[in-house]
Amino acid sequence: MYRVLIVEDEDIIRKGLTYKVDWLNNNCVVVGSAIDGNDGLDKIKELKPDIVITDIRMPFKDGIIMLEEALAVHDFETIIISGYSEFDYAQKAISLGVSEYILKPIDFRLLDIAIQKTRKKIDARQHEEKKHEYLHLYQEVLDVEALSVHSTYVSAMLDYIKGNYPHRVSITDLSEKLQVSTVYLNAKFKDETNYTFNDFLNRYRIIKAIDFMENSGKLIYEIAELVGFKEYKYFSQVFKKYVGYSPTHFTK
């Protein structure tokens, strides 16, 4: 669900925004409210909302200054609600990436449309972020595979990962096969690839998992097993570490 913070100094308007909007129907939840710009800045830092709905003219710190300071520490989308239609305010809001600007008195039909548009903007941004993380991870794996590996041991380790990633992979087994210590193998691998053996193994498995997600039609827990993770919870933790999203979120 999308996390919403309401920043409004007028009590009746703040409560109206909280209780007169069908937030659940918009897949949103109001995580908090603030009574002025200082309070709003503190709540943004604390609650990390996806959407901030704010007035401009407020005591202590106006909405524009609050947004400037808050966006420096947390990314979110903004819907501005104001009783003032001065062009300079609207222009400043646009420079901060605010795409929705609604005048008081609030037309809740227009607010609902603004919320839907803002959700689509968030979805589009997250899609681009996921794509970027995936491409970055994929390129890292390709870069290692394309290395002109100087050590026959490192070459053997890469081949071992590519050939055995769906199964139990143990550098101890490989060291016995190559008759070299695990300490030596790990050091050589890190020296030539800049990754530890287990780090690269996990990256490779996650790349394969994403390929299955996009092309196989299989369930996520089945994919976890196909790429060598016997426990789904651990797979989910590793996936989020490298991609930035849980497997379920990524497939959406």
Side-chain angles (χ1 to χ4, degrees):
M1 299 186 78
Y2 304 88
R3 297 165 59 83
V4 178
L5 175 70
I6 297 168
V7 186
E8 168 60 63
D9 62 307
E10 294 186 55
D11 186 63
I12 192 168
I13 297 177
R14 188 173 63 255
K15 289 180 178 177
L17 289 168
T18 303
Y19 298 110
K20 290 183 68 176
V21 176
D22 189 347
W23 293 110
L24 288 180
N25 189 51
N26 280 296
N27 197 28
C28 294
V29 59
V30 175
V31 294
S33 61
I35 59 174
D36 57 54
N38 284 332
D39 188 24
L41 181 60
D42 290 340
K43 292 286 176 59
I44 290 169
K45 292 177 180 178
E46 175 192 353
L47 301 172
K48 295 179 169 49
D50 301 302
I51 302 170
V52 172
I53 299 179
T54 183
D55 195 357
I56 288 181
R57 301 278 184 152
M58 294 183 292
F60 307 115
K61 182 176 294 181
D62 72 30
I64 296 297
I65 295 174
M66 179 197 74
L67 291 174
E68 287 178 325
E69 295 179 4
L71 286 167
V73 296
H74 175 63
D75 288 331
F76 55 88
E77 297 298 329
T78 307
I79 299 173
I80 282 181
I81 296 173
S82 178
Y84 299 84
S85 58
E86 292 97 327
F87 178 73
D88 58 336
Y89 271 99
Q91 192 175 44
K92 184 63 176 178
I94 291 169
S95 74
L96 292 172
V98 177
S99 57
E100 302 302 317
Y101 192 102
I102 298 174
L103 293 177
K104 297 176 182 177
I106 299 169
D107 183 329
F108 283 90
R109 182 183 58 84
L110 293 179
L111 177 60
D112 195 67
I113 293 171
I115 293 166
Q116 293 176 38
K117 288 170 66 177
T118 303
R119 286 172 47 205
K120 289 179 181 178
K121 189 174 179 180
I122 293 171
D123 291 343
R125 187 185 72 232
Q126 289 182 342
H127 176 74
E128 287 302 311
E129 288 173 352
K130 285 189 284 185
K131 185 169 70 172
H132 173 77
E133 290 298 327
Y134 166 65
L135 290 175
H136 179 67
L137 180 63
Y138 188 65
Q139 189 60 51
E140 287 179 331
V141 172
L142 287 180
D143 288 346
V144 171
E145 290 181 324
L147 282 173
S148 177
V149 176
H150 300 294
S151 169
T152 55
Y153 293 125
V154 175
S155 180
M157 294 166 81
L158 289 173
D159 289 340
Y160 180 62
I161 287 173
K162 287 187 273 188
N164 295 279
Y165 75 88
H167 314 296
R168 177 182 172 273
V169 173
S170 169
I171 195 170
T172 301
D173 293 344
L174 188 57
S175 73
E176 291 175 359
K177 180 180 177 181
L178 298 174
Q179 296 186 322
V180 184
S181 74
T182 57
V183 174
Y184 178 80
L185 286 179
N186 270 318
K188 290 296 291 183
F189 195 87
K190 181 68 182 293
D191 183 55
E192 292 210 24
T193 68
N194 206 36
Y195 299 104
T196 66
F197 179 80
N198 285 333
D199 184 21
F200 185 78
L201 170 62
N202 281 335
R203 290 171 186 272
Y204 194 83
R205 282 173 163 167
I206 296 303
I207 286 293
K208 294 297 181 182
I210 292 172
D211 186 48
F212 277 120
M213 288 177 184
E214 294 181 337
N215 299 301
S216 72
K218 293 183 179 295
L219 298 174
I220 296 176
Y221 79 88
E222 294 175 316
I223 292 172
E225 292 185 3
L226 284 172
V227 298
F229 291 93
K230 302 309 176 188
E231 294 183 7
Y232 175 78
K233 183 178 180 180
Y234 180 59
F235 167 70
S236 183
Q237 290 172 345
V238 173
F239 192 99
K240 188 170 184 178
K241 174 184 175 181
Y242 289 108
V243 181
Y245 298 87
S246 69
T248 303
H249 193 176
F250 186 85
T251 56
K252 292 179 181 179

Coordinates of all heavy atoms in Angstrom, one line a residue, residues 55-100:
D55 N -0.4 21.6 2.5 CA -0.8 23.1 2.2 C 0.6 23.8 2.0 O 1.6 23.3 2.3 CB -1.5 23.6 3.4 CG -2.2 24.9 3.1 OD1 -2.0 25.4 2.0 OD2 -2.9 25.5 4.1
I56 N 0.5 25.0 1.5 CA 1.7 25.8 1.3 C 1.8 26.8 2.4 O 2.9 26.9 3.1 CB 1.6 26.6 -0.1 CG1 1.8 25.6 -1.2 CG2 2.7 27.6 -0.1 CD1 1.8 26.3 -2.6
R57 N 0.8 27.6 2.7 CA 0.9 28.6 3.7 C 0.6 28.0 5.1 O -0.5 27.7 5.4 CB -0.1 29.7 3.4 CG 0.0 30.4 2.1 CD 1.1 31.5 2.1 NE 1.1 32.2 0.9 CZ 1.5 33.4 0.7 NH1 1.9 34.1 1.8 NH2 1.6 34.0 -0.5
M58 N 1.7 27.9 5.9 CA 1.5 27.3 7.2 C 2.5 28.0 8.2 O 3.4 28.6 7.8 CB 1.9 25.8 7.2 CG 0.9 24.9 6.4 SD 1.4 23.2 6.5 CE 2.9 23.2 5.6
P59 N 2.2 27.9 9.5 CA 3.0 28.6 10.5 C 4.4 28.0 10.5 O 4.6 26.8 10.2 CB 2.3 28.4 11.8 CG 0.9 27.9 11.4 CD 1.0 27.3 10.1
F60 N 5.4 28.8 11.0 CA 6.8 28.3 11.3 C 7.6 28.0 10.0 O 8.7 28.4 9.9 CB 6.8 27.1 12.2 CG 6.0 27.4 13.5 CD1 4.8 26.6 13.7 CD2 6.3 28.4 14.4 CE1 4.1 26.9 14.9 CE2 5.6 28.6 15.5 CZ 4.5 27.9 15.8
K61 N 7.0 27.2 9.1 CA 7.7 26.9 7.9 C 6.7 26.6 6.8 O 5.8 25.7 7.0 CB 8.6 25.7 8.1 CG 9.5 25.2 6.9 CD 10.4 24.1 7.3 CE 11.4 24.5 8.3 NZ 12.4 23.5 8.7
D62 N 6.8 27.3 5.7 CA 5.8 27.0 4.7 C 6.0 25.7 3.9 O 7.1 25.1 4.0 CB 5.6 28.2 3.7 CG 6.8 28.4 2.7 OD1 7.4 27.4 2.4 OD2 7.0 29.5 2.3
G63 N 5.1 25.3 3.1 CA 5.1 24.0 2.5 C 6.3 23.9 1.5 O 6.9 22.8 1.4
I64 N 6.6 24.9 0.8 CA 7.7 24.9 -0.2 C 9.0 24.6 0.5 O 9.8 23.8 0.0 CB 7.7 26.2 -1.0 CG1 6.4 26.3 -1.9 CG2 8.9 26.2 -1.9 CD1 6.2 25.3 -2.9
I65 N 9.3 25.4 1.5 CA 10.6 25.2 2.3 C 10.6 23.8 2.9 O 11.6 23.1 2.8 CB 10.8 26.2 3.3 CG1 10.9 27.6 2.7 CG2 12.0 25.9 4.2 CD1 10.9 28.8 3.7
M66 N 9.5 23.3 3.4 CA 9.4 22.0 4.0 C 9.8 20.9 2.9 O 10.5 20.0 3.2 CB 8.0 21.7 4.6 CG 7.9 20.3 5.2 SD 6.1 19.8 5.4 CE 5.6 19.5 3.6
L67 N 9.2 21.1 1.7 CA 9.4 20.1 0.7 C 10.9 20.1 0.2 O 11.5 19.1 0.0 CB 8.5 20.4 -0.5 CG 7.0 20.2 -0.3 CD1 6.2 20.6 -1.5 CD2 6.7 18.7 -0.1
E68 N 11.5 21.3 0.1 CA 12.9 21.4 -0.3 C 13.8 20.7 0.7 O 14.7 19.9 0.3 CB 13.3 22.9 -0.4 CG 12.7 23.6 -1.6 CD 13.1 25.1 -1.6 OE1 13.2 25.7 -0.5 OE2 13.3 25.6 -2.7
E69 N 13.5 20.9 1.9 CA 14.3 20.2 3.0 C 14.1 18.7 3.0 O 15.0 17.9 3.2 CB 14.1 20.9 4.3 CG 14.6 22.3 4.3 CD 14.3 23.0 5.7 OE1 13.9 22.3 6.6 OE2 14.6 24.2 5.8
A70 N 12.8 18.3 2.9 CA 12.4 16.9 3.0 C 12.9 16.1 1.8 O 13.4 15.0 2.0 CB 10.9 16.8 3.2
L71 N 12.8 16.7 0.6 CA 13.2 15.9 -0.6 C 14.7 15.7 -0.6 O 15.2 14.8 -1.3 CB 12.8 16.7 -1.8 CG 11.3 16.6 -2.1 CD1 10.9 17.6 -3.2 CD2 10.9 15.2 -2.6
A72 N 15.5 16.4 0.2 CA 16.9 16.2 0.3 C 17.3 14.9 1.1 O 18.4 14.4 1.0 CB 17.6 17.4 1.0
V73 N 16.3 14.4 1.9 CA 16.5 13.2 2.7 C 15.6 12.0 2.4 O 15.9 10.9 2.8 CB 16.4 13.6 4.2 CG1 17.5 14.6 4.6 CG2 15.0 14.1 4.5
H74 N 14.6 12.3 1.6 CA 13.6 11.2 1.3 C 12.9 11.4 0.0 O 12.4 12.5 -0.2 CB 12.6 11.0 2.5 CG 11.6 9.9 2.2 ND1 11.9 8.6 2.1 CD2 10.2 10.0 2.1 CE1 10.8 7.9 1.8 NE2 9.8 8.8 1.9
D75 N 12.8 10.4 -0.8 CA 12.0 10.6 -2.1 C 10.5 10.3 -1.8 O 10.2 9.3 -1.2 CB 12.5 9.6 -3.1 CG 13.9 10.0 -3.6 OD1 14.2 11.2 -3.7 OD2 14.7 9.1 -4.0
F76 N 9.7 11.2 -2.4 CA 8.2 11.0 -2.3 C 7.6 11.9 -3.3 O 8.2 12.7 -3.9 CB 7.7 11.4 -0.9 CG 8.1 12.7 -0.4 CD1 7.3 13.8 -0.8 CD2 9.2 13.0 0.3 CE1 7.6 15.1 -0.4 CE2 9.6 14.3 0.7 CZ 8.8 15.3 0.4
E77 N 6.3 11.6 -3.6 CA 5.5 12.4 -4.5 C 4.7 13.4 -3.7 O 4.3 13.0 -2.6 CB 4.7 11.5 -5.4 CG 5.5 10.6 -6.3 CD 6.4 11.4 -7.3 OE1 6.0 12.5 -7.7 OE2 7.4 10.8 -7.7
T78 N 4.3 14.5 -4.3 CA 3.6 15.6 -3.5 C 2.4 16.0 -4.2 O 2.4 16.2 -5.5 CB 4.5 16.8 -3.3 OG1 5.7 16.4 -2.7 CG2 3.8 17.8 -2.4
I79 N 1.3 16.2 -3.5 CA 0.1 16.8 -3.9 C -0.1 18.1 -3.1 O -0.2 18.0 -1.9 CB -1.2 15.9 -3.8 CG1 -1.0 14.7 -4.7 CG2 -2.4 16.7 -4.2 CD1 -2.1 13.6 -4.4
I80 N -0.1 19.2 -3.7 CA -0.2 20.5 -3.0 C -1.7 20.9 -3.0 O -2.4 20.9 -4.0 CB 0.7 21.6 -3.6 CG1 2.1 21.4 -3.1 CG2 0.2 23.0 -3.2 CD1 3.1 22.4 -3.6
I81 N -2.2 21.3 -1.8 CA -3.5 21.8 -1.7 C -3.4 23.2 -1.0 O -2.8 23.4 0.0 CB -4.4 21.0 -0.8 CG1 -4.6 19.6 -1.4 CG2 -5.7 21.6 -0.5 CD1 -5.3 18.6 -0.6
S82 N -3.9 24.2 -1.7 CA -3.6 25.6 -1.3 C -4.8 26.5 -1.6 O -5.5 26.3 -2.6 CB -2.3 26.2 -1.9 OG -2.1 27.5 -1.5
G83 N -5.0 27.5 -0.7 CA -6.0 28.5 -1.0 C -5.4 29.7 -1.8 O -6.1 30.6 -2.1
Y84 N -4.2 29.5 -2.2 CA -3.5 30.6 -2.9 C -3.1 30.1 -4.3 O -2.5 29.1 -4.4 CB -2.3 31.1 -2.2 CG -2.6 31.6 -0.8 CD1 -2.7 30.7 0.3 CD2 -2.7 33.0 -0.6 CE1 -3.0 31.2 1.5 CE2 -3.0 33.4 0.7 CZ -3.2 32.6 1.7 OH -3.5 33.0 3.0
S85 N -3.5 30.9 -5.3 CA -3.2 30.5 -6.7 C -2.1 31.3 -7.3 O -2.0 31.3 -8.6 CB -4.5 30.6 -7.5 OG -5.0 31.9 -7.5
E86 N -1.3 32.0 -6.5 CA -0.2 32.8 -7.1 C 0.7 32.0 -8.0 O 1.1 30.9 -7.6 CB 0.6 33.5 -6.0 CG -0.1 34.5 -5.2 CD -0.7 33.9 -3.9 OE1 -1.0 32.7 -3.9 OE2 -0.8 34.7 -2.9
F87 N 1.1 32.5 -9.1 CA 1.8 31.8 -10.1 C 3.2 31.4 -9.6 O 3.7 30.3 -9.9 CB 2.0 32.6 -11.4 CG 2.8 31.9 -12.4 CD1 2.3 30.8 -13.1 CD2 4.1 32.3 -12.7 CE1 3.1 30.2 -14.1 CE2 4.9 31.7 -13.7 CZ 4.4 30.6 -14.4
D88 N 3.8 32.3 -8.7 CA 5.2 32.0 -8.3 C 5.2 30.8 -7.4 O 6.2 30.0 -7.4 CB 5.8 33.2 -7.6 CG 4.9 33.6 -6.4 OD1 3.7 33.3 -6.3 OD2 5.5 34.3 -5.4
Y89 N 4.1 30.6 -6.6 CA 4.1 29.4 -5.8 C 3.9 28.1 -6.7 O 4.6 27.1 -6.5 CB 2.9 29.4 -4.8 CG 3.3 30.1 -3.5 CD1 3.0 31.4 -3.3 CD2 3.9 29.4 -2.5 CE1 3.3 32.0 -2.1 CE2 4.3 30.0 -1.3 CZ 4.0 31.3 -1.1 OH 4.3 31.9 0.1
A90 N 3.0 28.2 -7.6 CA 2.8 27.1 -8.5 C 4.1 26.7 -9.3 O 4.5 25.6 -9.5 CB 1.7 27.3 -9.5
Q91 N 4.8 27.8 -9.7 CA 6.1 27.6 -10.5 C 7.1 27.0 -9.6 O 7.9 26.1 -10.1 CB 6.5 29.0 -11.0 CG 7.7 28.9 -12.0 CD 8.0 30.3 -12.6 OE1 8.1 31.2 -11.8 NE2 8.2 30.4 -13.9
K92 N 7.2 27.4 -8.4 CA 8.2 26.8 -7.5 C 7.9 25.4 -7.2 O 8.8 24.5 -7.1 CB 8.2 27.6 -6.1 CG 9.3 27.2 -5.2 CD 10.7 27.4 -5.7 CE 11.7 27.0 -4.7 NZ 13.1 27.1 -5.2
A93 N 6.6 25.1 -7.0 CA 6.2 23.7 -6.8 C 6.6 22.8 -8.0 O 7.0 21.7 -7.8 CB 4.7 23.6 -6.6
I94 N 6.4 23.3 -9.2 CA 6.7 22.5 -10.4 C 8.2 22.2 -10.4 O 8.7 21.1 -10.7 CB 6.3 23.3 -11.7 CG1 4.8 23.3 -11.7 CG2 6.9 22.6 -12.9 CD1 4.2 24.2 -12.8
S95 N 9.0 23.2 -10.0 CA 10.5 23.0 -10.0 C 10.9 21.9 -9.0 O 12.0 21.3 -9.1 CB 11.2 24.3 -9.6 OG 11.1 24.6 -8.2
L96 N 10.1 21.6 -8.0 CA 10.3 20.6 -7.0 C 9.8 19.2 -7.4 O 9.8 18.3 -6.7 CB 9.8 21.0 -5.6 CG 10.4 22.1 -4.9 CD1 9.6 22.5 -3.7 CD2 11.9 21.8 -4.6
G97 N 9.2 19.2 -8.6 CA 8.6 17.9 -9.1 C 7.2 17.7 -8.7 O 6.7 16.6 -8.9
V98 N 6.5 18.7 -8.2 CA 5.1 18.6 -7.8 C 4.3 18.7 -9.0 O 4.3 19.7 -9.7 CB 4.7 19.7 -6.8 CG1 3.2 19.6 -6.4 CG2 5.6 19.6 -5.5
S99 N 3.5 17.6 -9.3 CA 2.7 17.6 -10.5 C 1.2 17.9 -10.3 O 0.5 18.2 -11.2 CB 2.8 16.3 -11.3 OG 2.5 15.2 -10.4
E100 N 0.8 17.8 -9.0 CA -0.6 18.0 -8.7 C -0.8 19.2 -7.8 O -0.2 19.2 -6.7 CB -1.2 16.7 -8.0 CG -1.1 15.5 -8.9 CD -1.7 15.6 -10.3 OE1 -2.8 16.1 -10.3 OE2 -1.1 15.2 -11.3

